[in-house]
Amino acid sequence: MGQNLQRGDRLRPVDLARAHGLSTQAVRNYEEAGILPAAARTPHGYRTYTPLHAGALRAFLALLPGHGHQTATSIMRAVNQGATDAAFRLIDESHAQLLDDRRTLQAVESALRDLEPTTGSGPAAVSGPGGTFIGPLAGKLGIRPATLRKWERAGLVRPRRDPRTGYRVYDEADVRDARLAHQLRRGGYLLDQIAPLIAQVRAAGGLEPLEAALRDWHDRLCARGRAMLTGAAELEAYLRRRGE
């Protein structure tokens, strides 16, 4: 490639690098990784790039925000090897993952909306002072005490033990976590999927601080979806330049 190029079509590594705020070493690394097609060489061994390489670099950098480095690299490598079906499958998998992430967010938002205040007739008020015992809490949620014990082993709830009786005592935060876990289980989520979400609630200090985290999560998913559109446009332009 590049033997019959006009001088104006020839690009040096530094030309590609400067246009995108990269180092020349980064451009060489991208070529070695298969992100860029192999460059032609001058009689003195210097790399010579073309507008095709510039298009490949634009496509890769546009794919990065939506798909991540590993997947974007695999997409470009597949395209440059002529395996466009494999590249499209990788893109489909990224979109499927984004959809799963959106569904998870919707499930959490729905679960939070469905939670009732833990005052008055809520679960926190169905036992003696100092917290809720396992039986009343299980009854209020409509589950068996064994289910709460299973959730405890999975880290979804962390009740303390009454020092005198050894009974489990669920404080307000434990009741909140149990109710959130219950909503998510009803939505079909597995315990190992719920555990990190419960951890987020705890880290946020409750449900109200979590709302800001959920808004940020929503914004990041939207940004990812928008980035995928931008990446698709640049990849399509690169495929046209390649004649595919």
Side-chain angles (χ1 to χ4, degrees), residues 147 150-151 154 156 181 185 189-196 198:
T147 299
K150 182 178 181 180
W151 290 358
L156 306 189
R185 286 295 290 137
Y189 284 84
L190 303 176
L191 297 186
D192 59 356
Q193 294 173 310
I194 296 172
I198 298 291

Side-chain angles (χ1 to χ4, degrees), residues 10 12 18 25 29 34 42 64 72 98 103 109 122 131 134 142 154 178 199 212 217 220 222 225-226 233 239:
R10 297 174 182 169
R12 301 167 298 167
R18 286 175 177 169
Q25 185 59 53
N29 291 343
T42 68
L64 272 177
L98 178 60
R103 286 172 173 163
E109 290 174 332
I134 191 169
W217 188 0
R220 285 187 283 111
C222 288
R226 185 77 175 264
L239 289 172

Side-chain angles (χ1 to χ4, degrees), residues 64-205:
L64 272 177
H67 298 273
H69 193 281
Q70 181 177 344
T71 300
T73 297
S74 297
I75 291 170
M76 293 304 300
R77 187 182 294 130
V79 168
N80 290 328
Q81 292 171 351
T84 52
D85 283 350
F88 294 155
R89 184 165 58 250
L90 289 166
I91 292 170
D92 290 343
E93 288 171 357
S94 262
H95 281 280
Q97 182 60 61
L98 178 60
L99 181 59
D100 282 346
D101 290 346
R102 287 189 184 280
R103 286 172 173 163
T104 299
L105 173 59
Q106 289 169 354
V108 174
E109 290 174 332
S110 176
L112 295 179
R113 284 195 301 269
D114 291 341
L115 291 180
E116 299 173 358
T118 56
T119 58
S121 62
V126 299
S127 69
T132 303
F133 294 115
I134 191 169
L137 177 57
K140 187 67 176 180
L141 294 176
I143 60 177
R144 296 179 301 162
T147 299
L148 280 171
R149 289 192 287 269
K150 182 178 181 180
W151 290 358
E152 181 181 350
R153 291 193 296 272
L156 306 189
V157 290
R158 300 184 298 190
R160 61 181 174 84
R161 294 282 184 154
D162 184 286
R164 184 171 56 86
T165 65
Y167 293 158
R168 292 171 173 83
V169 180
Y170 298 82
D171 63 19
E172 187 175 351
D174 294 319
V175 172
R176 175 203 66 204
D177 294 346
R179 299 169 78 207
L180 180 55
H182 184 48
Q183 291 291 341
L184 291 170
R185 286 295 290 137
R186 289 174 61 184
Y189 284 84
L190 303 176
L191 297 186
D192 59 356
Q193 294 173 310
I194 296 172
L197 301 176
I198 298 291
Q200 280 189 312
V201 173
R202 291 177 184 146

